Amino acid sequence: ESTSFAVRVAPLGSHGQVLVLAEDQTEHRRVEAVRRDFVANVSHELKTPVGALSLLAETIQDAADDPEAVTRFAGRMQHEAARLTYLVQDLITLSRIQGAEPIPTPGPVPIDEAVHEAIDRCNTTAAAKDITLVAGGAEGLRIWGDDELLVTALRNLIDNAVAYSPEHTRVVVSARAAGAHNESVEISVSDQGIGIPESAQERIFERFFRVDAARSRATGGTGLGLAIVKHVAVAHNGAVTVWSKEGSGSTFTLRLPAFGGTAVAVPGTTTIP
Ligand code: ADP
């Protein structure tokens, strides 16, 4: 990528000296491009279900004398409306988190409670595929953060694990203290699902990036889940990483600062006094 500068020249004093200011525009241009892409993506993602809804409404009008068809199309309308709702909810969540760095009112968050709350909210979808949700290791661990944001991030990871796994498998949520001085907590979500090709692993945290758009939409995905997870991690001065092997499964790991962390600085984490 080329670099560009905005140059400003201002006269200084009465001896002909000038002040030259060079401002790097590259970052500014990149941010602008990302913003434009995002708006284009949002518009596209909104247009798809809205288009489907208006088509279905027309079809229902034509099928007014066929009650069976009316029921079928009404069901599909409900499905499209639900997709719109999820998309709008995720957009609101994402903008709320992006505006909340660093998190406004952090406190000690017990990990076992957050994990159980996240699992509770995913139970129905897991049960529908006979996927067993297992949790362990979180007793006594606490992070310094926002409980709602942590539950949101965990729920997105568990939702994905369930969505991209075949029936009758297991999803394991485990937590442990991490770092040389236990200054972090690691929570990982492991599945036995389809996995993620290595070439895509770096990009999955981008907004609207999907390995397989058709499959993602079929499972009800908005393409925003992992972007939300990443922003929750960043807002906590933490990180999220992925390990995955196609065909055998994926593990997503959230690393967050422990409550009452030690005074030892560790790259990528912040020590809270
Ligand atoms: P989506 O709503 O499409 O699931 P996400 O941001 O949550 O969006 O995930 C981005 C993409 O990463 C998904 O479309 C999918 O291709 C891939 N992905 C995420 N989690 C998993 C997983 N546990 N197993 C396999 N692929 C996954």
Side-chain angles (χ1 to χ4, degrees), residues 5-26:
F5 291 95
V7 177
R8 276 181 250 280
V9 181
L12 248 192
S14 53
H15 300 286
Q17 298 111 315
V18 290
L19 178 69
V20 180
L21 283 171
E23 193 183 352
D24 187 355
Q25 296 280 291
T26 320

Side-chain angles (χ1 to χ4, degrees), residues 111-136:
I111 301 302
D112 53 349
E113 281 176 27
V115 166
H116 281 116
E117 197 172 331
I119 284 182
D120 272 352
R121 295 194 206 171
C122 300
N123 257 333
T124 324
T125 39
K129 290 175 82 174
D130 186 32
I131 289 175
T132 315
L133 299 179
V134 189

Side-chain angles (χ1 to χ4, degrees), residues 219-232:
T219 61
T222 63
L224 293 174
L226 289 179
I228 290 173
V229 174
K230 186 186 155 185
H231 277 95
V232 169

Side-chain angles (χ1 to χ4, degrees), residues 90 156-165 189 191 193-197 200 203-213 215-217 219-229 242 244 249-252:
D90 276 357
N156 276 298
L157 291 177
I158 301 168
D159 267 342
N160 279 348
V162 170
Y164 300 106
S165 289
V189 178
D191 64 53
I194 59 173
I196 301 157
R203 299 202 56 198
I204 51 174
F205 298 98
E206 290 173 21
R207 300 174 297 197
F208 295 119
F209 180 87
R210 292 139 162 154
V211 176
D212 178 344
R215 177 155 50 197
S216 166
R217 292 212 181 82
T219 61
T222 63
L224 293 174
L226 289 179
I228 290 173
V229 174
V242 62
S244 185
S250 310
T251 298
F252 285 85

Side-chain angles (χ1 to χ4, degrees), residues 139-205:
E139 292 72 24
L141 294 178
R142 289 185 299 177
I143 61 147
W144 175 258
D146 183 299
D147 54 350
E148 261 307 306
L149 290 186
L150 179 62
V151 171
T152 300
L154 291 174
R155 191 168 49 83
N156 276 298
L157 291 177
I158 301 168
D159 267 342
N160 279 348
V162 170
Y164 300 106
S165 289
E167 294 184 341
H168 321 301
T169 52
R170 277 156 58 102
V171 170
V172 180
V173 185
S174 55
R176 63 183 191 96
H181 302 270
N182 290 342
E183 67 283 342
S184 305
V185 171
E186 273 185 5
I187 312 167
S188 58
V189 178
S190 295
D191 64 53
Q192 304 169 313
I194 59 173
I196 301 157
E198 209 173 327
S199 57
Q201 288 177 16
E202 226 178 90
R203 299 202 56 198
I204 51 174
F205 298 98

